[in-house]
Amino acid sequence: MTTCPDAPFRSGFVTLIGRPNAGKSTLLNALMGKKLAITSDTAQTTRHRFRAILNNENSQIVLVDTPGIHKPHDVLGEELNASAIEALDDIDVVALLIDASKPVGRGDEWVAQTIKGKRYKKILVLSKSDLVDPFTLDEQRKAACELADFDEVVCLSAKKNRGLGDFIDAVSSMLPEGPRWFPEDMDTDQPMEVMVAEFIREKILYRTRDEIPHSIGVICDTLEYDKKKDLYRIFATIYVEREGQKGIIIGAKGAGIKAIGSQAREDLEVLLGGRVYLDLQVKVRKNWRRDLNQIRRFGYGEGV
């Protein structure tokens, strides 16, 4: 990435969109140089619109991570799609991420339809480029460029930290001149309670499979800082849809919930910059993914 002291200062909003597992959250974390958004191979990992603020000498880029756009199977899926599409309102640049290691398909075409013909600048991002050879990458580029009228194409690998500077330069050049919209020391405007809940949910995604990851919702009930002991006390509740799922999360003699808590605590101590006491409870809330009111209570979806 290059900077120029005489260049005008540019700032604006850049929305990352794509199919589930296209690498949006991984890219956001790589650009920020720290873990702010959760990642996993499970569809619907990202359930919140997430804004991170990337400050450079000549620009402030507000990165908006979105849920992966997919064919919904329940009310939650419909709300996540609506949330992702709403994030395309009043932005300066959209970055469509396409997994370079997989053939461009109907799902990519469907996502591209949401940005086709729109006035904002468009960047095609071929992610996970380290997983393919140059010939395949070129073929992917040609196929993906047919999906919309892109202003720029960037190939990158967030995990290998390749092409990140190219992405930042491309985005910065497309932003309008303007002030810093957020303080220079601010990484995200996401409430800390939401981030805590998401970090806990991530650990469950890594430990479970089949239907259970989609049935998980997490709420941070209490987040307190004890200055005298330099300790964060966190009480959170994990919600599932069936009693059987509750048993799987807790595990034999509590081994499952203990492992989830231990793994989550490690990440939370890095996030919060201090020691963490974490108390987790598991409760059943039947069919919450089909209940719009319950979905909104978790903070998921378009209307929150």
Side-chain angles (χ1 to χ4, degrees), residues 8 24 39 57 81 96 191 202 277 295:
K24 300 181 297 297
T39 62
E57 183 179 345
N81 275 357
L96 172 61
E202 179 190 56
Y277 167 80
I295 291 169

Side-chain angles (χ1 to χ4, degrees), residues 198-214:
E198 288 296 272
F199 273 45
I200 295 168
R201 186 167 67 88
E202 179 190 56
K203 302 312 173 187
I204 303 171
L205 298 182
Y206 281 124
R207 290 186 58 82
T208 56
R209 57 183 180 178
D210 300 326
E211 182 63 15
I212 291 180
H214 302 290

Side-chain angles (χ1 to χ4, degrees), residues 131-156:
L131 300 180
V132 297
D133 59 70
F135 175 79
T136 302
L137 184 61
D138 189 55
E139 291 299 304
Q140 288 287 79
R141 186 205 316 263
K142 292 176 183 177
C145 282
E146 297 294 323
L147 299 179
D149 49 333
F150 295 105
D151 299 283
E152 186 71 70
V153 179
V154 175
C155 300
L156 56 79

Side-chain angles (χ1 to χ4, degrees), residues 71-92:
K71 185 176 181 180
H73 299 290
D74 49 37
V75 178
L76 175 60
E78 293 171 358
E79 284 292 294
L80 296 182
N81 275 357
S83 177
I85 293 171
E86 189 186 61
L88 297 172
D89 295 338
D90 300 321
I91 63 169
D92 302 291

Side-chain angles (χ1 to χ4, degrees), residues 167-198:
F167 177 82
I168 293 173
D169 286 343
V171 169
S172 298
S173 69
M174 296 177 181
L175 295 179
E177 294 184 27
R180 293 187 190 272
W181 297 110
F182 296 91
E184 197 167 355
D185 60 351
M186 187 175 184
D187 292 325
T188 177
D189 65 348
Q190 188 84 308
M192 188 57 67
E193 288 81 1
V194 172
M195 295 182 67
V196 166
E198 288 296 272

Side-chain angles (χ1 to χ4, degrees), residues 42-250:
T42 303
Q44 292 186 12
T45 296
T46 301
R47 288 178 174 174
H48 295 272
R49 284 202 304 270
F50 187 100
R51 294 198 297 193
I53 299 94
L54 179 61
N55 287 288
N56 297 300
E57 183 179 345
N58 297 127
S59 67
Q60 183 178 78
I61 303 172
V62 183
L63 299 159
V64 185
D65 190 13
T66 62
I69 299 178
H70 62 291
K71 185 176 181 180
H73 299 290
D74 49 37
V75 178
L76 175 60
E78 293 171 358
E79 284 292 294
L80 296 182
N81 275 357
S83 177
I85 293 171
E86 189 186 61
L88 297 172
D89 295 338
D90 300 321
I91 63 169
D92 302 291
V93 180
V94 63
L96 172 61
L97 270 72
I98 291 182
D99 184 345
S101 68
K102 297 179 181 178
V104 176
R106 292 183 179 179
D108 298 304
E109 294 176 9
W110 189 41
V111 176
Q113 286 298 318
T114 64
I115 65 172
K116 205 168 185 178
K118 297 297 175 66
R119 292 184 177 180
Y120 41 66
K121 297 291 185 178
K122 306 175 188 67
I123 298 178
L124 169 63
V125 177
L126 291 174
S127 62
K128 308 180 186 182
S129 63
D130 59 303
L131 300 180
V132 297
D133 59 70
F135 175 79
T136 302
L137 184 61
D138 189 55
E139 291 299 304
Q140 288 287 79
R141 186 205 316 263
K142 292 176 183 177
C145 282
E146 297 294 323
L147 299 179
D149 49 333
F150 295 105
D151 299 283
E152 186 71 70
V153 179
V154 175
C155 300
L156 56 79
S157 169
K159 287 191 174 181
K160 300 289 186 179
N161 286 318
R162 298 175 185 167
L164 300 184
D166 294 335
F167 177 82
I168 293 173
D169 286 343
V171 169
S172 298
S173 69
M174 296 177 181
L175 295 179
E177 294 184 27
R180 293 187 190 272
W181 297 110
F182 296 91
E184 197 167 355
D185 60 351
M186 187 175 184
D187 292 325
T188 177
D189 65 348
Q190 188 84 308
M192 188 57 67
E193 288 81 1
V194 172
M195 295 182 67
V196 166
E198 288 296 272
F199 273 45
I200 295 168
R201 186 167 67 88
E202 179 190 56
K203 302 312 173 187
I204 303 171
L205 298 182
Y206 281 124
R207 290 186 58 82
T208 56
R209 57 183 180 178
D210 300 326
E211 182 63 15
I212 291 180
H214 302 290
S215 301
I216 296 296
V218 180
I219 292 179
C220 176
D221 303 302
T222 305
L223 172 58
E224 299 175 339
Y225 177 61
D226 186 331
K227 189 174 181 179
K228 185 176 293 186
K229 294 185 177 181
D230 188 24
L231 177 71
Y232 290 90
R233 289 192 177 91
I234 298 172
F235 295 83
T237 304
I238 300 167
Y239 289 92
V240 294
E241 292 187 309
R242 298 191 297 273
E243 285 291 340
Q245 295 169 342
K246 179 179 178 180
I248 292 173
I249 296 296
I250 295 174

